[in-house]
Amino acid sequence: MKSFLYYKEKDIVEKTTARKMSSHNPVESPVENGFGSSGLENHYCKEFTNRRFPRLSAFESFVFLVPWCFCILGFCILLLVLFLTGCGRSGPPFPPAKALETLKIKKGFRIETFVTEPAIASPVAMEFDEEGRIYVVEMPGYPLDTRPTGRIKLLEDTNGDGRPDRSRIFADGLVLPTGVMRWKKGILVTAAPDVWYFEDTDGDGRADVRRKVLTGFPFTNPQHTVNGPLYGLDNWIYLAHEGPARAVIFKEKFGDLGSGIRFAERNGGPVLKVERRGVRFRPDSFQLEYLSGNSQYGHFFDEWGHYFTVSNSNHLRHEVIAARYLERNPDLPVVTAMQDLSDHENAAKVFPITHRPRFELLTDVGQFTSACSLTLYLGGAFPAEFRRISFVAEPAHNLVHSDVWFEAGSTYVAKRLEDGIEFLASTDSWFRPVNFYIGPDGALYLVDYYRPMIEHPEWTSSQHHHDSKELYIGSDKGRIYRIVPDSQPPLPMPTNIHLGKASDEDLVQQLANPNIWWRRTAQRLLVDRQSAGSSELLVRLFTESPSPLARLHALWTLEGLGKLDASLLEKALQGSEPGVRENAIRLAEPRLTSSPALVEELLEMGRDPNPKVRFQLLCTLGFVDTPQARAVQDKLLKNHIEDEWMQLAALSASSARASQYFEIKFVL
C-alpha cells in the first residue's frame, strides 16, 4: 500500500506541471541581464517565486518532515563521529603529555618530561652550571634562516623541586648557534664563524658581556658548522669541527669557507688554515691547535681521556693517535687517525617504529643517516651493566641507538645493546633527538628538536629548495626529557647544587665522585681559581684515595695549576690502574728533557701488560732520541706488529726513524 506522502507529493507535482504549461510563453530572443541570465531564465525564476504550493495541515507537515529530520540528524552524527575519530588519529604535533606516550624505552628505564615549550623552543644543546642553572641553545632558524634569531635561554629552579620553573633570554642575536659550555663566570657559545663568550655581571639573568673569542670558522651548511664546546680532562676546550661543506644550491647563504681560525682579540697569535679537523684551544694562554680527526655534530671523552667522534652515517669513531705525534713526521702519509668502532659497520641498520614516517631524502632510509651527539654514559646512576654503554641520536628515524663497548687492543669495538630493537624510539614522526647531557643527578638528558622536517633542503626534493614556511613548522616547540633507571626509590632530581660556593677542599673531594659532571666541574673550577692552597689537597687525594678516577683528576688538576711534580708522576707510572699509568705517560711528555728519572721510568715500562699503556708509551718515546729509547720502541713494535696503530705510532717518531723500519733484512 502506498503511503499518504506518495499521493500528496504526486498531487503537488501534477498541479505544478499544469501551471507551467498554461503560462509558458517562450521568448525568441533572450536578452542578457546584469547577472548573466537570459530573459527566458528570468521568466522561469519569476514563475517559480510566484508559485503557490498546496497548504498542508500541521499533522501532514509533521509527517512529511520527520523522515527528513532523521536523515539530517543521522548525517550530522556521522560527521561528528568521523571528526572525533579523526582527532584521535590526528597528529603530530602532540602536546608534551601525549608525545611522552609515543616513546618506547628499553625495559628497566623510564623517560619523563623535564621541560617543554613555551619555556624553550627549537633546542639543540644544554649545559648545567655549578649552581644548577641550565643554559639551552635555541636554533629556530634552521635550516635556511640566517637572520640573528638564535638565543640562549637560562632556566632556573626557584622552588627547589629540581625542575626549571623560570625561563629567561640570557643572550640573543645569534645566527644558527650550535653549542654551549660553562666557562669562568659565563658561557662559551659556538655560532659559526665565531665562538662567543657571554657573561651576566649584574645578576639580572641577561648577559651584558658579549665578546668574540675565536673567529674564522667556515659558515656553510648548518649541519657541518663548529659545535659542542667540551672541557677535556687535559684542561683544553675541544670543539667538534668537520670543516666546510660546499653548498651547491644555497651558495649565497652558506658559501663562507672560512678565513683562518684565530683568536679574535689576539693579533699575532696562532692561525689555523681551514682543514677538515677538530680544534682545541685554551683561552687564557691563547693556545690553538688542530686535532688529528674530525666530528660532525657532537663528540665525547671516556673517563680516561680517549676522544670519540661521529658523522651522520658513521656513529662511532675513536681518534686513536693524537695530532702532536703525527706532526713529528710530515713525510708520513696517514689516511685516517680514527678507528671505526661499530661491529655492525658504517651506515648501520636502525629499527624505527614511527607511524607514517616522513623522509625528504631519497636514500638512506632504514640506516644511519643523521647520527649525532655520541655520548658515553659516565653518570654513575645507571645499573652496573650499563657502565660501558654509549648513546647516539638518530633524529631522521626518530630514535636513540645504543652500543656496548669492549676493549680491542689500542682501541675498542662496539656491539649493539640489543639486536633488532633500539634503546629508545618513538611512533611520533616529529620526535627529533639531537643531543644528550649527563646531569648532576646522573640522569641522561635528551634534547628533542621536535619538528616534522629535519633534513636540510640542500639535499632534499626540489619543492623545498625555496625558503618556504613549511621548513619552520614546529620552530615554536621543543622538549628536554630525563632518562633514569626505573627503580625504587627513584633517582632524585637535581636540587641544592651550589658547587660554585664550595671550598677548595670540597671541590677536591668531588674529584672522586662517580658522576663525570661533578668531577669535570670541580676540576674546571679548581683550575679557574688557581688557589695555592689546593695543591696540597690534591697531592693528598692522589696518595690516599682508593679511587683511580680521583687520582687521575688529581694529576690533571695539578697540571692545570702548574703544580705537578715529577716525583708524583713517577709514582703514577708505577700505579696499579692502567688508565692512570697511561695518563701519567702523557703528562711526562713536557718533562722528558728536564727529568732523566722520568725517562728511565718510561724505559722500564716496555713490558706493561695493558695494550693501551703500551701504545701510549710507543707514542711518547718518539720524543726521546736515544739508543735506549729506540730499542724499547723496536721491541714494542716487533711484539705487536699485528696492531696497525702500533705501526703508525712507531712510524710517527720522525722521518729518519721511520725510514729505518723499511731497512729490514729477512733471514731465511
Side-chain angles (χ1 to χ4, degrees), residues 67 86 211 231 293 316 371 386 409 412 429 493 508 541 550 553 598 648:
R211 187 173 72 247
Y231 193 84
L316 282 173
F386 286 84
Y412 301 89
S429 63
M493 298 295 294
V508 169
L541 179 71
H553 282 271
L598 269 181
L648 188 57

Side-chain angles (χ1 to χ4, degrees), residues 589-620:
E589 290 175 0
R591 300 164 174 83
L592 294 176
T593 57
S594 61
S595 179
L598 269 181
V599 176
E600 289 299 318
E601 193 67 44
L602 291 176
L603 295 176
E604 294 296 322
M605 298 180 69
R607 296 182 179 179
D608 194 284
N610 185 272
K612 290 182 174 59
V613 174
R614 295 194 299 265
F615 172 77
Q616 182 59 57
L617 179 64
L618 186 53
C619 289
T620 298

Side-chain angles (χ1 to χ4, degrees), residues 211-425:
R211 187 173 72 247
K212 196 179 295 185
V213 180
L214 293 177
T215 191
F217 288 93
F219 181 65
T220 57
N221 188 288
Q223 293 184 3
H224 300 268
T225 54
V226 62
N227 62 87
L230 180 62
Y231 193 84
L233 178 64
D234 56 5
N235 303 303
W236 288 71
I237 298 170
Y238 286 70
L239 299 173
H241 179 246
E242 195 184 38
R246 293 182 180 272
V248 175
I249 299 170
F250 300 101
K251 291 181 180 179
E252 291 187 9
K253 288 178 175 287
F254 303 116
D256 180 2
L257 302 181
S259 58
I261 302 167
R262 60 199 183 276
F263 284 97
E265 300 177 350
R266 179 78 168 185
N267 294 327
V271 179
L272 302 181
K273 182 181 177 181
V274 175
E275 297 181 23
R276 296 183 62 82
R277 297 162 63 185
V279 174
R280 70 173 188 169
F281 70 108
R282 300 184 80 165
D284 290 340
S285 56
F286 296 101
Q287 293 172 272
L288 178 65
E289 297 178 358
Y290 265 131
L291 307 179
S292 58
N294 60 56
S295 198
Q296 184 171 344
Y297 191 79
H299 52 165
F300 209 74
F301 293 95
D302 72 1
E303 62 267 52
W304 306 111
H306 302 123
Y307 181 60
F308 304 94
T309 71
V310 64
S311 73
N312 59 352
S313 61
N314 191 342
H315 67 287
L316 282 173
R317 300 182 304 195
H318 175 201
E319 185 184 281
V320 183
I321 186 165
R324 64 183 179 277
Y325 305 128
L326 298 178
E327 290 167 356
R328 296 180 302 203
N329 185 356
D331 299 320
L332 180 62
V334 178
V335 176
T336 181
M338 298 185 291
Q339 172 71 48
D340 298 340
L341 301 187
S342 171
D343 77 336
H344 35 294
E345 306 301 331
N346 300 339
K349 185 177 180 180
V350 294
F351 302 95
I353 61 172
T354 316
H355 292 171
R356 298 181 294 278
R358 176 174 180 171
F359 295 99
E360 303 299 331
L361 298 177
L362 301 179
T363 59
D364 302 329
V365 174
Q367 64 189 52
F368 271 116
T369 183
S370 59
C372 60
S373 305
L374 168 65
T375 301
L376 183 65
Y377 180 74
L378 302 175
F382 284 8
E385 60 267 29
F386 286 84
R387 180 176 169 270
R388 303 297 294 177
I389 297 292
S390 64
F391 299 93
V392 175
E394 169 56 26
H397 287 87
N398 322 108
L399 59 84
V400 173
H401 179 80
S402 188
D403 289 292
V404 186
W405 292 30
F406 300 90
E407 297 284 341
S410 304
T411 182
Y412 301 89
V413 65
K415 302 178 181 293
R416 292 184 187 273
L417 178 62
E418 191 172 350
D419 289 333
I421 191 170
E422 303 295 349
F423 176 83
L424 173 67

